[in-house]
Amino acid sequence: MEAFLASTAAVAIAEIGDKTQLLSLFLVVRYGKRLPIILGILLATVLNHALSAWLGAWIAGWIPEAWLPWILAISFIAIAGWLLIPDKDDSDDSRFLGLGAFAATTVMFFLAEIGDKTQIATVVLAARFTETVWVIIGTTVGMLVANIPVIMAGRWLMERLPLTTARIGASLLFVVLAVVTVAATVMNS
């Protein structure tokens, strides 16, 4: 359950102000269809984060056990720093928009997540927790928790969210994950 809760919280907070949230807003304004967009986000996230989590679990199997917590802590700190950098929306000229709401959302979200903070976080979380499936479920739920309100409330919500505060909060969450990882390692030594 810890893997699920940590993954959900990490991604939900990290997504606030992320380019995929901006993409959600763009898609709902463009298509006006909420359910196909939500289902497209769900499918894209499950596929992308499943691949990412399995990669993280595989990497964790190859790294010497004594090194893993320290590498994870450094990775969490790196993600915390990355979260402080605002994203920009680059979806305006996508060739996938002609595919319709569901297919365009699925393709665009999958591609937008490649190399994104939440994909990297998923790799690191899966390396940290042995419950890979719970990491996948948690990061997917976190993605939906962050994006469904944007889809439902659109511009009204985006105008009222303090994005700088959200980025700082997300950054602090990853610093806490780094500290907890190191503390657990030191206590178990």
Side-chain angles (χ1 to χ4, degrees):
M1 202 60 167
E2 182 184 2
F4 170 75
L5 294 174
S7 298
T8 301
V11 169
I13 294 170
E15 272 298 298
I16 297 174
D18 190 74
K19 67 183 171 194
T20 49
Q21 222 176 26
L22 298 172
L23 179 58
S24 294
L25 179 61
F26 169 77
L27 290 166
V28 78
V29 168
R30 168 130 173 119
Y31 293 109
K33 299 176 182 178
R34 291 179 171 98
L35 185 59
I37 293 169
I38 292 169
L39 293 175
I41 292 170
L42 174 63
L43 179 59
T45 303
V46 167
L47 294 173
N48 190 294
H49 288 197
L51 293 170
S52 302
W54 287 321
L55 174 65
W58 179 78
I59 290 171
W62 284 94
I63 295 173
E65 196 170 321
W67 296 7
L68 187 60
W70 303 101
I71 293 170
L72 292 173
I74 291 167
S75 298
F76 283 137
I77 297 292
I79 293 168
W82 191 3
L83 285 167
L84 297 174
I85 302 167
D87 281 331
K88 295 181 179 85
D89 182 16
D90 56 359
S91 59
D92 291 336
D93 297 323
S94 177
R95 64 181 179 268
F96 301 112
L97 293 173
L99 298 173
F102 174 75
T105 300
T106 302
V107 171
M108 291 173 75
F109 254 80
F110 185 87
L111 295 174
E113 277 298 293
I114 294 174
D116 191 58
K117 293 176 280 247
T118 51
Q119 184 187 40
I120 304 302
T122 301
V123 171
V124 174
L125 288 162
R128 163 74 173 81
F129 297 105
T130 57
E131 303 88 3
T132 305
V133 171
W134 284 111
V135 170
I136 297 166
I137 293 169
T139 58
T140 301
V141 169
M143 182 70 77
L144 293 172
V145 164
N147 284 290
I148 288 176
V150 172
I151 293 165
M152 301 310 283
R155 289 190 195 282
W156 180 87
L157 184 62
M158 291 302 288
E159 290 169 357
R160 286 160 180 77
L161 281 176
L163 298 180
T164 301
T165 303
R167 280 193 295 278
I168 292 168
S171 180
L172 289 174
L173 176 64
F174 278 94
V175 169
V176 168
L177 286 171
V179 170
V180 167
T181 299
V182 169
T185 301
V186 170
M187 291 173 63
N188 291 332
S189 296

